[in-house]
Amino acid sequence: MAEHMQLATEEGQEMLLEEIPESPSAKPRHWYLAGAGLALLVVLGVAAKVVYRSPETLLQSKNFDINTVQEWEQIPGIDQVVEHAKTLELKQPLRNLNDLFYESQPEELPWIRTECVIDVVQGAAYLGQAVVFLYKAIKYDGIRCPDNSPAGCAASIAGFITSVTWIASYLSFAANACGAAVNSGALCAGDW
């Protein structure tokens, strides 16, 4: 039985090694599919070009120059755009912009005014500290720049620069808190 199995496997190997001739009429199907897909893409592209005309081509076809428009009502087709916009539903209710004004939040107003005072006081305190560091860098014996200690000089200069940075930050926060409404530019500058 073992000899019969060995003979069968040898015959199977010989059959696998034989080349099977291809018939001349057999062509790969994947090339047909690729060609059909490419033709479909071309047809869809041409159809999309015919159906969709860009606004620029619409304006050019009527000999209309967009640079001559003085007001937005003169743009061709704007009435249809406005009517379509009126039919759209809101995804969320419109925001009440009164919350940007501090007077509209009477329960928050004392805290905001307190922040205003604190920011101004902190700015003034850092102004004093900047003057002290500048004095130490210029006239203070032992750490005067650059005659005495380089490390002391560096500490004085770094302290001065840091104090000026804190002054800018606190004055930006004061510009927001001391105003009548939220000043996002001042908040951004203070956080920077």
Side-chain angles (χ1 to χ4, degrees):
M1 176 116 179
E3 288 179 15
H4 181 64
M5 294 273 291
Q6 185 179 8
L7 195 56
T9 54
E10 287 176 8
E11 289 175 8
Q13 288 176 354
E14 288 177 12
M15 287 179 58
L16 288 176
L17 293 176
E18 287 182 24
E19 289 187 23
I20 301 172
E22 289 187 23
S23 66
S25 63
K27 293 183 180 175
R29 285 186 57 93
H30 65 276
W31 289 110
Y32 287 122
L33 294 176
L38 184 62
L40 180 64
L41 284 176
V42 168
V43 169
L44 288 176
V46 169
K49 183 71 174 170
V50 169
V51 171
Y52 175 74
R53 294 178 61 191
S54 68
E56 290 84 14
T57 58
L58 289 174
L59 293 175
Q60 290 170 356
S61 65
K62 296 180 182 178
N63 294 326
F64 180 77
D65 185 15
I66 193 72
N67 296 325
T68 61
V69 173
Q70 297 296 321
E71 297 185 21
W72 65 270
E73 290 95 352
Q74 296 174 342
I75 299 173
I78 197 68
D79 297 333
Q80 297 155 347
V81 173
V82 170
E83 290 303 317
H84 177 67
K86 288 179 182 177
T87 62
L88 297 176
E89 293 182 22
L90 294 174
K91 293 182 180 176
Q92 58 187 8
L94 292 176
R95 182 177 172 198
N96 183 2
L97 296 179
N98 283 335
D99 63 345
L100 293 176
F101 296 97
Y102 295 136
E103 299 293 331
S104 69
Q105 303 170 11
E107 67 279 353
E108 296 289 323
L109 193 58
W111 297 107
I112 294 169
R113 295 302 175 225
T114 303
E115 182 183 348
C116 169
V117 171
I118 290 172
D119 289 338
V120 170
V121 169
Q122 284 292 98
Y126 275 104
L127 179 62
Q129 189 173 353
V131 169
V132 169
F133 277 117
L134 188 61
Y135 171 76
K136 285 182 177 182
I138 295 173
K139 290 200 173 195
Y140 198 73
D141 271 343
I143 57 172
R144 186 178 340 157
C145 293
D147 300 336
N148 299 104
S149 163
C153 176
S156 297
I157 298 298
F160 174 75
I161 292 172
T162 303
S163 297
V164 170
T165 305
W166 279 111
I167 291 168
S169 179
Y170 279 114
L171 290 182
S172 295
F173 287 139
N176 173 61
C178 298
V182 174
N183 185 343
S184 60
L187 287 174
C188 182
D191 281 338
W192 186 72

